[in-house]
């Protein structure tokens, strides 16, 4: 059988094609201000460009937040998040009460979304008090990076590295070791 007539069996090449179609967006509450973390984020975001369409949006903190109750603040932040999303987006909250995945499981989570035709997968990192009820209802998934409490600044870097790692796993590259 000529090579061109052989069935397509390389799932990693297939996933590479599908990865380009799904856009991944990270939306965060508050601006990144730690230089060493910004440097790390820039490095992993540059690496991610090889694998997917990726965008990070930072929403400035709510003005006069100290004058608001925790619930009022979560509602205001929720409204700002909602304004950055489209109706068809699949939304994942990065939340301490979310499901925990290992790196390989997370890559499989992404693969399912890619193969399922998801156009845009949006990950949210909330403010200090978490997410509004409206965002919890809007989200299709909740994901936890750790049982430990992490700063919101560090979560950006850790998540972006895991996103990069997941793509290298899907491509069969040597970055990740079991």
């Amino acid at each position: 059988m000529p090579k061109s007539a052989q069935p397509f069996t390389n799932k990693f090449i297939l996933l590479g094609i599908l990865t380009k179609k799904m856009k991944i967006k990270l939306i965060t509450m508050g601006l990144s201000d730690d230089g060493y973390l910004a440097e790390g984020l820039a490095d992993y975001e540059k690496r991610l460009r090889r694998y997917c369409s990726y965008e990070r949006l930072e929403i400035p903190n709510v003005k006069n937040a100290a004058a608001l109750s925790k619930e009022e603040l979560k509602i205001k932040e929720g409204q700002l998040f909602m304004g950055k999303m489209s109706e068809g987006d699949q939304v994942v909250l990065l939340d301490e009460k979310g499901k925990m995945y290992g790196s390989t499981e997370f890559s499989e989570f992404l693969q399912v979304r890619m193969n399922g035709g998801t156009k845009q997968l949006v990950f949210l990192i909330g403010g200090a008090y978490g997410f509004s009820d409206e965002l919890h209802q809007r989200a299709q998934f909740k994901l936890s990076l750790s049982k430990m409490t992490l700063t919101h600044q560090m979560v950006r870097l850790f998540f972006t590295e895991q996103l990069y790692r997941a793509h290298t796993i899907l491509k069969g590259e040597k970055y990740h070791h079991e």
Side-chain angles (χ1 to χ4, degrees), residues 1 5 10-11 17 25-26 32 40 54 68 82 88 91 93-96 102 126 141 148 150 158 162 172 176:
M1 177 185 300
N10 187 330
K11 70 178 181 178
I17 293 167
K25 186 187 289 190
L26 174 64
S32 295
Y54 173 80
L68 302 172
M82 293 296 281
V91 178
L93 303 182
L94 293 175
D95 185 275
E96 63 189 8
F141 308 98
M148 295 180 186
L150 304 170
F158 296 163
Q162 285 298 306
H176 178 74

Side-chain angles (χ1 to χ4, degrees), residues 113-124:
R113 303 298 122 353
M114 291 176 213
N115 292 347
T118 299
K119 293 193 186 322
Q120 183 158 268
L121 186 59
V122 178
F123 293 90
L124 304 180

Side-chain angles (χ1 to χ4, degrees), residues 25-138:
K25 186 187 289 190
L26 174 64
I27 307 176
T28 66
M29 184 55 58
L31 305 176
S32 295
D33 53 6
D34 291 331
Y36 70 98
L37 292 173
E39 188 177 318
L41 268 171
D43 179 44
Y44 283 107
E45 288 173 343
K46 181 179 175 184
R47 293 180 191 198
L48 267 173
R49 288 187 206 123
R50 287 186 51 215
Y51 303 99
C52 66
S53 174
Y54 173 80
E55 177 183 12
R56 177 171 46 98
L57 296 174
E58 294 181 331
I59 300 173
N61 287 320
V62 172
K63 293 179 183 179
N64 301 318
L68 302 172
S69 71
K70 291 177 187 178
E71 259 329 289
E72 291 170 327
L73 182 58
K74 288 193 310 187
I75 289 169
K76 289 222 181 258
E77 290 173 345
Q79 291 167 345
L80 294 171
F81 276 120
M82 293 296 281
K84 301 293 183 187
M85 295 183 290
S86 300
E87 188 176 313
D89 291 348
Q90 280 201 15
V91 178
V92 181
L93 303 182
L94 293 175
D95 185 275
E96 63 189 8
K97 295 178 182 88
K99 182 171 175 64
M100 292 182 66
Y101 289 114
S103 297
T104 302
E105 293 169 312
F106 180 58
S107 71
E108 293 166 359
F109 172 87
L110 291 176
Q111 179 180 336
V112 167
R113 303 298 122 353
M114 291 176 213
N115 292 347
T118 299
K119 293 193 186 322
Q120 183 158 268
L121 186 59
V122 178
F123 293 90
L124 304 180
I125 299 174
Y129 301 112
F131 297 103
S132 67
D133 289 340
E134 180 182 28
L135 282 175
H136 278 284
Q137 291 170 8
R138 172 68 175 86

